[in-house]
C-alpha cells in the first residue's frame, strides 16, 4: 500500500490512523484476495473473514457459481437502466424474491444500498396515505436504538445517539418508542390508541437490532407488533438489510414468527456479498395506491441511476441458486446450535458482560467505558491470530459467512476466546 493514502474511510476517526501506532496498521492492511471464508492481504497473510466483510458475504469469496453468473452477464451488458426499460436479470430476480419472501409481497422496487431501500419504503408508505385520501397519516414510528442507514431519511428514524445526534437539526420529526423487550408492545399500543390517525408506519429491524450491538428481541414481540399495525391500519416496514438471507437461520427473520410486513427492505447479502444492490418489496395494495392518471401527479417519483444493475442482479440470482443447490439453510441449522454451545463458555469470562445470539449474528459485550475502545483493541489484536472482526463499540461482533465450516468456526471462536482470556 502507498504511504500517503487519499482515502477518507467510513465510520473512522482518521486522526487515529495518523497518530495511533496500532491503529495506523489498519491503514496499512490492504486486502488483495479472498477465498472461501478467508481474506488474504497484500503480504499473503490469511485471515478468517469473521464479520462477512461487514455482514454481506454468504457463500464465501470467489464462489464459482457467483463468479460465473457475473461473468456470463458481463458478456451481454454491464449496465442498462430500469427507468423506462427492463431487462431479464432484474425481471427474473424480482420473480424469485417474491417467491421466497413472506406472503403478500408481490412487487419489487430496486435500489443499490440498504439506506435507500429504507428511504424508499418510508416514502412509499408516506405517499400511499396521501395518494389514497388519508393525508393525516404522516408520522413514522421507530424503536429505541434503531439503525436504518446513514442517509438523512434513514437517520431521521435512527435511534443511536452516538451516530445520530449531530444531525438532529437536519432531519424530520418522528416518534421514537422508548421501551424495549415486551414493554414496547404496550407502549406502541398506547400510542396507536391515541394517535393512529396520524401514524403512517412502524419501522423495525425484526428479531435482532444489529448496529445497536446485536440486541435480540424476546420471541413473539414481532408478531404482536404486526397485530397492532393491522388492527390500527398502520404499515409495518421490516428492515431486513442485516437479517435477510439466512443470518437468523431462516431466509428472512420475519418468517420465524410467520409475519408478513407491508414492506421488506433487503440489501447487504442480496448479492451474496459481491455487488451493491437493494430491493424494497411491497404488497399489491400499496402498488395499487400509486395507479392514477399521469396528470394526477401521484407517481412514485423516485429512482437511482444504477437501480437494478444487471451485473448485481446476476450475482443475486446466483446467490439464490446456491441457497437451493447447497441447501445452505438446512446445513446452517446444526452450525447455529454448535455456535450457541461454544458461546456458553464465553459467559464465564470476567471481561464479558453479556453474550447475545440470534442465528449467525452474535454480539459479545465487554466491560468497560466506550471511550476505552476495548472492542477495537481486541479486534486489532485478533489480526495477529488470523481473524478479521469489526466491533460495535464495546461489543465484539461475530457474523461469519453462512458457508463457514464447523472447524473454521471453531478456529474463529478459539481465537476470540484466547484473546479475551489474555
Ligand atoms: C447496514 C444496514 C442499513 C444500511 O445499509 P447500507 O447499505 O449501509 O446503506 C440499514 N439497515 C440495517 C438494519 C442495516 O444493518
Amino acid at each position: 500500500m502507498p504511504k500517503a493514502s487519499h482515502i477518507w474511510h467510513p465510520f473512522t476517526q482518521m486522526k487515529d490512523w495518523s497518530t495511533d501506532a496500532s491503529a495506523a496498521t489498519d491503514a496499512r492492511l490492504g486486502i488483495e484476495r479472498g477465498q472461501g471464508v478467508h481474506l488474504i492481504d497484500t503480504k499473503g497473510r490469511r485471515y478468517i473473514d469473521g464479520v462477512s466483510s461487514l455482514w454481506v458475504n454468504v457463500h464465501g469469496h470467489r464462489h464459482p457459481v457467483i463468479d460465473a453468473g457475473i461473468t456470463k452477464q458481463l458478456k451481454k451488458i454491464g449496465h442498462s437502466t430500469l427507468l423506462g426499460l427492463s431487462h431479464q436479470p432484474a425481471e427474473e430476480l424480482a420473480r424469485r424474491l417474491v417467491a421466497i419472501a413472506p406472503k403478500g409481497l408481490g412487487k419489487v422496487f430496486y435500489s443499490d444500498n440498504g439506506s435507500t431501500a429504507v428511504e424508499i419504503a418510508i416514502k412509499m408508505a408516506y405517499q400511499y396515505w396521501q395518494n389514497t385520501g388519508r393525508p393525516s397519516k404522516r408520522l413514522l414510528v421507530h424503536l429505541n436504538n434503531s439503525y436504518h442507514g446513514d442517509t438523512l431519511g434513514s437517520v431521521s428514524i435512527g435511534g443511536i445517539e452516538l451516530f445520530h445526534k449531530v444531525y438532529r437539526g437536519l432531519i424530520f420529526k418522528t416518534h421514537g418508542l422508548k421501551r424495549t423487550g415486551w414493554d414496547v408492545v404496550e407502549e406502541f399500543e398506547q400510542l396507536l390508541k391515541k394517535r393512529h390517525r396520524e401514524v403512517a408506519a412502524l419501522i423495525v429491524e425484526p428479531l435482532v437490532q444489529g448496529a445497536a450491538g446485536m440486541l435480540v428481541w424476546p420471541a413473539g414481540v414481532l408478531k404482536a407488533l404486526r397485530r397492532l399495525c393491522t388492527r390500527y391500519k398502520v404499515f409495518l416496514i421490516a428492515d431486513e438489510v442485516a437479517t435477510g438471507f439466512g443470518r437468523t437461520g431462516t431466509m428472512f427473520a420475519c418468517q420465524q414468527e410467520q409475519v408478513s410486513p407491508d414492506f421488506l427492505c433487503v440489501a447487504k447479502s442480496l448479492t451474496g456479498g459481491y455487488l451493491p444492490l437493494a430491493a424494497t418489496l411491497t404488497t399489491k395494495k400499496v402498488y395499487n395506491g400509486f395507479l392514477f392518471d399521469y396528470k394526477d401527479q401521484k407517481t412514485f417519483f423516485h429512482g437511482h441511476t444504477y437501480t437494478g444493475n444487471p451485473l448485481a442482479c446476476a450475482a443475486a440470482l446466483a446467490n439464490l441458486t446456491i441457497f437451493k443447490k447447497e441447501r445452505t439453510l438446512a446445513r446452517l441449522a446444526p452450525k447455529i446450535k454448535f455456535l450457541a454451545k461454544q458461546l456458553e463458555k464465553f459467559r464465564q469470562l470476567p471481561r464479558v458482560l453479556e453474550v447475545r445470539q440470534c442465528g449467525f449474528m452474535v454480539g459479545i459485550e465487554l466491560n468497560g467505558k466506550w471511550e476505552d475502545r476495548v472492542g477495537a483493541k481486541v479486534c486489532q489484536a485478533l489480526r495477529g491470530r488470523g481473524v478479521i472482526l469489526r466491533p460495535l463499540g464495546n461489543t465484539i461482533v461475530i457474523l461469519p459467512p453462512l458457508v463457514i465450516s464447523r472447524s473454521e468456526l471453531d478456529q474463529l471462536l478459539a481465537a476470540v476466546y484466547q484473546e479475551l482470556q489474555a
Side-chain angles (χ1 to χ4, degrees):
M1 294 233 101
K3 275 224 163 65
S5 173
H6 294 283
I7 301 177
W8 184 345
H9 289 262
F11 271 103
T12 302
Q13 177 45 265
M14 297 306 296
K15 181 163 179 264
D16 291 345
W17 282 33
S18 50
T19 55
D20 177 335
S22 74
T25 57
D26 280 11
R28 287 198 288 270
L29 183 57
I31 298 302
E32 193 172 81
R33 285 179 295 130
Q35 188 63 55
V37 300
H38 289 98
L39 297 169
I40 301 154
D41 73 9
T42 46
K43 297 205 174 85
R45 289 177 296 213
R46 291 168 76 87
Y47 308 86
I48 294 181
D49 187 359
V51 287
S52 302
S53 294
L54 241 303
W55 315 3
V56 297
N57 193 281
V58 182
H59 309 291
H61 299 279
R62 298 297 322 272
H63 193 292
V65 175
I66 305 183
D67 287 12
I70 295 170
T71 313
K72 194 169 164 217
Q73 176 56 38
L74 191 55
K75 288 182 181 148
K76 293 180 189 161
I77 191 166
H79 183 67
S80 159
T81 185
L82 283 185
L83 278 69
L85 292 171
S86 198
H87 58 73
Q88 191 269 337
E91 294 282 356
E92 174 68 14
L93 179 59
R95 234 188 325 275
R96 286 174 63 181
L97 285 174
V98 166
I100 59 168
K103 269 203 302 287
L105 298 163
K107 293 289 171 184
V108 178
F109 194 99
Y110 288 111
S111 59
D112 37 46
N113 64 74
S115 307
T116 55
V118 166
E119 299 248 347
I120 286 159
I122 60 183
K123 283 175 76 176
M124 280 179 175
Y126 185 90
Q127 190 179 342
Y128 174 87
W129 298 119
Q130 316 285 312
N131 278 5
T132 57
R134 275 153 294 183
S136 65
K137 287 174 90 66
R138 288 163 185 265
L139 186 64
L140 291 166
V141 180
H142 64 86
L143 300 186
N144 195 10
N145 281 314
S146 55
Y147 177 80
H148 298 289
D150 296 331
T151 55
L152 285 174
S154 306
V155 168
S156 300
I157 46 171
I160 299 181
E161 274 305 288
L162 175 65
F163 302 166
H164 298 140
K165 68 169 180 251
V166 66
Y167 307 114
R168 289 289 172 226
L170 282 177
I171 60 181
F172 56 81
K173 217 170 142 42
T174 60
H175 185 93
L177 296 168
K178 305 243 161 11
R179 286 149 75 183
T180 53
W182 269 102
D183 290 348
V184 79
V185 177
E186 200 202 313
E187 187 186 0
F188 186 48
E189 183 162 19
Q190 293 309 323
L191 176 77
L192 290 177
K193 271 187 185 155
K194 273 189 264 162
R195 300 178 65 186
H196 66 94
R197 280 178 203 85
E198 297 164 55
V199 178
L202 168 71
I203 180 158
V204 300
E205 298 160 76
L207 299 197
V208 44
Q209 294 180 259
M214 302 295 155
L215 304 181
V216 182
W217 296 12
V221 167
L222 177 62
K223 208 177 175 76
L225 293 174
R226 167 73 272 185
R227 271 202 213 103
L228 287 173
C229 286
T230 305
R231 188 184 322 150
Y232 288 96
K233 294 196 167 50
V234 163
F235 287 130
L236 176 66
I237 302 172
D239 174 357
E240 293 228 25
V241 170
T243 52
F245 303 96
R247 290 290 162 195
T248 68
T250 45
M251 189 55 94
F252 298 103
C254 282
Q255 289 162 332
Q256 298 201 16
E257 298 195 2
Q258 295 82 46
V259 160
S260 283
D262 300 285
F263 296 88
L264 178 76
C265 308
V266 295
K268 287 192 169 90
S269 295
L270 171 56
T271 60
Y274 268 59
L275 288 165
L277 181 69
T280 306
L281 280 73
T282 190
T283 60
K284 294 216 174 83
K285 173 185 151 175
V286 169
Y287 179 80
N288 289 340
F290 289 76
L291 300 180
F292 291 90
D293 290 331
Y294 185 77
K295 66 171 168 41
D296 295 327
Q297 302 183 2
K298 289 181 173 180
T299 304
F300 187 54
F301 291 109
H302 188 115
H304 300 282
T305 313
Y306 277 103
T307 279
N309 171 266
L311 294 173
C313 288
L317 284 166
N319 175 34
L320 297 183
T321 298
I322 301 166
F323 264 103
K324 249 196 168 148
K325 229 170 92 182
E326 298 187 358
R327 299 172 48 251
T328 304
L329 292 176
R331 288 162 74 175
L332 181 63
K335 287 189 277 189
I336 290 173
K337 285 214 184 91
F338 175 74
L339 179 58
K341 194 147 176 287
Q342 296 296 99
L343 284 171
E344 271 163 29
K345 67 171 188 272
F346 283 74
R347 295 197 163 90
Q348 266 82 63
L349 288 169
R351 297 177 69 182
V352 172
L353 198 64
E354 192 175 49
V355 179
R356 299 180 286 266
Q357 182 198 5
C358 179
F360 246 31
M361 302 175 81
V362 172
I364 301 172
E365 189 172 344
L366 305 178
N367 289 304
K369 293 195 297 280
W370 70 266
E371 306 91 286
D372 297 339
R373 304 183 73 236
V374 288
K377 283 172 188 161
V378 168
C379 292
Q380 183 67 38
L382 275 166
R383 292 182 182 184
R385 298 181 190 269
V387 167
I388 300 265
L389 292 181
R390 182 168 171 92
L392 289 159
N394 284 350
T395 299
I396 306 291
V397 173
I398 300 178
L399 206 149
L402 305 189
V403 72
I404 194 168
S405 72
R406 211 179 257 241
S407 66
E408 288 161 338
L409 194 54
D410 217 15
Q411 203 184 326
L412 165 60
L413 293 169
V416 178
Y417 189 81
Q418 282 157 20
E419 191 52 47
L420 290 179
Q421 234 180 359

